[in-house]
């Protein structure tokens, strides 16, 4: 059902970019590449990657700053730092800046791809298996249920997909168009359909659906989740 996951490669060395994007495409991932930090941050915003490979030594800025910016954009996207430096202090700084893993060059592409797979699995499990609390509602994405004030309701598969999208981007505005693309896989239908859908979901999750506290409207844009 889901198309190949998108991996963003932020790296300025052409041979490295080519090697990585080839290896990722071979594994069935969709690889997009940026050669500067600035371009990487912009692509992360437009492509919403499932994982980022980030070189530390970039022409315009250092990878630590890029890492922190990526983290501001997404609390959850897995980030693997690629670096020629192998110093302990750099590893710590990278992990502190929000990276999930750190690979020192030269590395084996096979091992890197295995780390990519492992981090993507971990990210998926975190979203799928955990019971999540949204305000007073207890949501189980696996069981597809929401319980509020002792009353349990089922969630449709679209509602589960939407919640998964929101939970991956907590506190961030998600546009109607993106909701349509990511949840329904179409762009053509009227984006107002999303609004009606949200109204129904709020009734399941919000104690006061008319004055929502958690699934908030971002006027002229879309919605955001604030647990
Ligand atoms: Ca570099």
């Amino acid at each position: 059902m889901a198309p190949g996951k998108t991996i963003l490669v932020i790296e300025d060395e052409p041979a490295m970019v080519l090697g990585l994007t080839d290896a990722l495409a071979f594994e069935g991932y969709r690889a997009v590449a940026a050669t500067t930090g600035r371009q990487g941050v912009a692509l992360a915003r437009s492509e919403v990657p499932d994982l980022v490979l980030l070189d530390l030594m970039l022409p315009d800025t250092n990878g630590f700053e890029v890492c922190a910016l990526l983290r501001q954009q997404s609390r959850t996207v897995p980030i693997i730092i690629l670096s020629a430096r192998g110093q302990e202090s750099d590893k710590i700084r990278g992990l502190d800046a929000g990276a999930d893993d750190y690979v020192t060059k030269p590395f084996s592409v096979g091992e890197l791809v295995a780390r990519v797979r492992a981090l993507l699995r971990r990210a998926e499990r975190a979203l799928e298996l955990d019971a999540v609390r949204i305000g007073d509602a207890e949501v189980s994405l696996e069981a597809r249920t929401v319980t509020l004030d002792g009353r349990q309701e089922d969630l449709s598969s679209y509602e589960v997909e939407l919640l998964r999208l929101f939970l991956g981007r907590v506190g961030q505005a998600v546009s109607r168009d993106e909701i349509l693309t990511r949840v329904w896989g179409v762009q053509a239908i009227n984006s107002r359909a999303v609004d009606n859908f949200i109204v129904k979901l709020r009734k399941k999750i919000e104690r006061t659906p008319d004055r929502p506290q958690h699934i908030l409207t971002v006027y002229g844009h879309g919605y955001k989740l604030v647990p």
Side-chain angles (χ1 to χ4, degrees), residues 10-13 55-59 82 105:
I10 308 177
E11 162 69 72
D12 59 321
E13 240 171 277
D55 180 32
L56 274 190
M57 306 283 273
L58 293 164
L82 315 172
K105 294 178 186 173

PDB file of all heavy atoms in Angstrom, residues 10-13 55-59 82 105, ligand 1:
ATOM      1  N   ILE A  10      21.696  14.621   2.516  1.00  0.00           N
ATOM      2  CA  ILE A  10      22.299  15.957   2.488  1.00  0.00           C
ATOM      3  C   ILE A  10      23.810  15.765   2.527  1.00  0.00           C
ATOM      4  O   ILE A  10      24.375  15.401   3.561  1.00  0.00           O
ATOM      5  CB  ILE A  10      21.822  16.827   3.686  1.00  0.00           C
ATOM      6  CG1 ILE A  10      20.293  16.832   3.763  1.00  0.00           C
ATOM      7  CG2 ILE A  10      22.371  18.245   3.553  1.00  0.00           C
ATOM      8  CD1 ILE A  10      19.738  17.606   4.961  1.00  0.00           C
ATOM      9  N   GLU A  11      24.426  15.963   1.390  1.00  0.00           N
ATOM     10  CA  GLU A  11      25.843  15.603   1.211  1.00  0.00           C
ATOM     11  C   GLU A  11      26.377  16.357   0.006  1.00  0.00           C
ATOM     12  O   GLU A  11      25.682  16.456  -1.005  1.00  0.00           O
ATOM     13  CB  GLU A  11      25.916  14.069   1.010  1.00  0.00           C
ATOM     14  CG  GLU A  11      27.166  13.521   0.411  1.00  0.00           C
ATOM     15  CD  GLU A  11      28.367  13.623   1.336  1.00  0.00           C
ATOM     16  OE1 GLU A  11      28.414  12.857   2.332  1.00  0.00           O
ATOM     17  OE2 GLU A  11      29.234  14.465   1.087  1.00  0.00           O
ATOM     18  N   ASP A  12      27.585  16.901   0.104  1.00  0.00           N
ATOM     19  CA  ASP A  12      28.094  17.725  -1.002  1.00  0.00           C
ATOM     20  C   ASP A  12      29.071  16.995  -1.923  1.00  0.00           C
ATOM     21  O   ASP A  12      29.404  17.499  -2.981  1.00  0.00           O
ATOM     22  CB  ASP A  12      28.762  18.997  -0.454  1.00  0.00           C
ATOM     23  CG  ASP A  12      29.909  18.681   0.481  1.00  0.00           C
ATOM     24  OD1 ASP A  12      29.774  17.715   1.264  1.00  0.00           O
ATOM     25  OD2 ASP A  12      30.937  19.364   0.430  1.00  0.00           O
ATOM     26  N   GLU A  13      29.534  15.813  -1.535  1.00  0.00           N
ATOM     27  CA  GLU A  13      30.490  15.087  -2.380  1.00  0.00           C
ATOM     28  C   GLU A  13      29.726  14.306  -3.451  1.00  0.00           C
ATOM     29  O   GLU A  13      28.989  13.371  -3.113  1.00  0.00           O
ATOM     30  CB  GLU A  13      31.217  14.068  -1.514  1.00  0.00           C
ATOM     31  CG  GLU A  13      32.713  14.228  -1.421  1.00  0.00           C
ATOM     32  CD  GLU A  13      33.249  13.282  -0.365  1.00  0.00           C
ATOM     33  OE1 GLU A  13      33.204  13.629   0.831  1.00  0.00           O
ATOM     34  OE2 GLU A  13      33.679  12.190  -0.762  1.00  0.00           O
ATOM     35  N   ASP A  55      25.454  14.765   6.128  1.00  0.00           N
ATOM     36  CA  ASP A  55      26.911  14.962   6.208  1.00  0.00           C
ATOM     37  C   ASP A  55      27.196  16.143   7.142  1.00  0.00           C
ATOM     38  O   ASP A  55      26.446  17.112   7.176  1.00  0.00           O
ATOM     39  CB  ASP A  55      27.429  15.244   4.788  1.00  0.00           C
ATOM     40  CG  ASP A  55      28.926  15.463   4.758  1.00  0.00           C
ATOM     41  OD1 ASP A  55      29.636  14.857   5.581  1.00  0.00           O
ATOM     42  OD2 ASP A  55      29.382  16.244   3.904  1.00  0.00           O
ATOM     43  N   LEU A  56      28.284  16.047   7.896  1.00  0.00           N
ATOM     44  CA  LEU A  56      28.608  17.139   8.831  1.00  0.00           C
ATOM     45  C   LEU A  56      29.312  18.309   8.159  1.00  0.00           C
ATOM     46  O   LEU A  56      29.114  19.459   8.524  1.00  0.00           O
ATOM     47  CB  LEU A  56      29.511  16.617   9.958  1.00  0.00           C
ATOM     48  CG  LEU A  56      28.837  15.990  11.173  1.00  0.00           C
ATOM     49  CD1 LEU A  56      29.870  15.773  12.260  1.00  0.00           C
ATOM     50  CD2 LEU A  56      27.699  16.842  11.695  1.00  0.00           C
ATOM     51  N   MET A  57      30.176  18.001   7.174  1.00  0.00           N
ATOM     52  CA  MET A  57      30.972  19.065   6.549  1.00  0.00           C
ATOM     53  C   MET A  57      30.305  19.506   5.249  1.00  0.00           C
ATOM     54  O   MET A  57      30.511  18.902   4.200  1.00  0.00           O
ATOM     55  CB  MET A  57      32.384  18.546   6.247  1.00  0.00           C
ATOM     56  CG  MET A  57      33.091  17.960   7.453  1.00  0.00           C
ATOM     57  SD  MET A  57      33.706  19.242   8.547  1.00  0.00           S
ATOM     58  CE  MET A  57      35.298  19.546   7.785  1.00  0.00           C
ATOM     59  N   LEU A  58      29.506  20.555   5.337  1.00  0.00           N
ATOM     60  CA  LEU A  58      28.784  21.046   4.169  1.00  0.00           C
ATOM     61  C   LEU A  58      29.362  22.404   3.772  1.00  0.00           C
ATOM     62  O   LEU A  58      29.955  23.094   4.606  1.00  0.00           O
ATOM     63  CB  LEU A  58      27.287  21.169   4.501  1.00  0.00           C
ATOM     64  CG  LEU A  58      26.603  19.812   4.749  1.00  0.00           C
ATOM     65  CD1 LEU A  58      25.260  19.993   5.431  1.00  0.00           C
ATOM     66  CD2 LEU A  58      26.434  19.058   3.433  1.00  0.00           C
ATOM     67  N   PRO A  59      29.204  22.793   2.503  1.00  0.00           N
ATOM     68  CA  PRO A  59      29.859  24.025   2.053  1.00  0.00           C
ATOM     69  C   PRO A  59      29.321  25.286   2.738  1.00  0.00           C
ATOM     70  O   PRO A  59      30.077  26.228   2.973  1.00  0.00           O
ATOM     71  CB  PRO A  59      29.576  24.055   0.543  1.00  0.00           C
ATOM     72  CG  PRO A  59      28.519  23.041   0.293  1.00  0.00           C
ATOM     73  CD  PRO A  59      28.583  22.058   1.403  1.00  0.00           C
ATOM     74  N   LEU A  82      26.541  11.447   8.870  1.00  0.00           N
ATOM     75  CA  LEU A  82      27.658  10.819   8.170  1.00  0.00           C
ATOM     76  C   LEU A  82      28.835  11.766   8.335  1.00  0.00           C
ATOM     77  O   LEU A  82      28.727  12.941   8.029  1.00  0.00           O
ATOM     78  CB  LEU A  82      27.362  10.699   6.679  1.00  0.00           C
ATOM     79  CG  LEU A  82      25.989  10.197   6.258  1.00  0.00           C
ATOM     80  CD1 LEU A  82      25.839  10.336   4.746  1.00  0.00           C
ATOM     81  CD2 LEU A  82      25.819   8.742   6.670  1.00  0.00           C
ATOM     82  N   LYS A 105      32.835   7.992   8.199  1.00  0.00           N
ATOM     83  CA  LYS A 105      33.392   7.653   6.885  1.00  0.00           C
ATOM     84  C   LYS A 105      34.834   7.182   7.049  1.00  0.00           C
ATOM     85  O   LYS A 105      35.534   7.711   7.911  1.00  0.00           O
ATOM     86  CB  LYS A 105      33.381   8.884   5.975  1.00  0.00           C
ATOM     87  CG  LYS A 105      32.007   9.390   5.601  1.00  0.00           C
ATOM     88  CD  LYS A 105      32.180  10.645   4.748  1.00  0.00           C
ATOM     89  CE  LYS A 105      30.838  11.305   4.458  1.00  0.00           C
ATOM     90  NZ  LYS A 105      30.993  12.597   3.794  1.00  0.00           N
TER      91      LYS A 105
HETATM   92 CA1  LIG B   1      31.174  17.006   2.989  1.00  0.00          CA
END
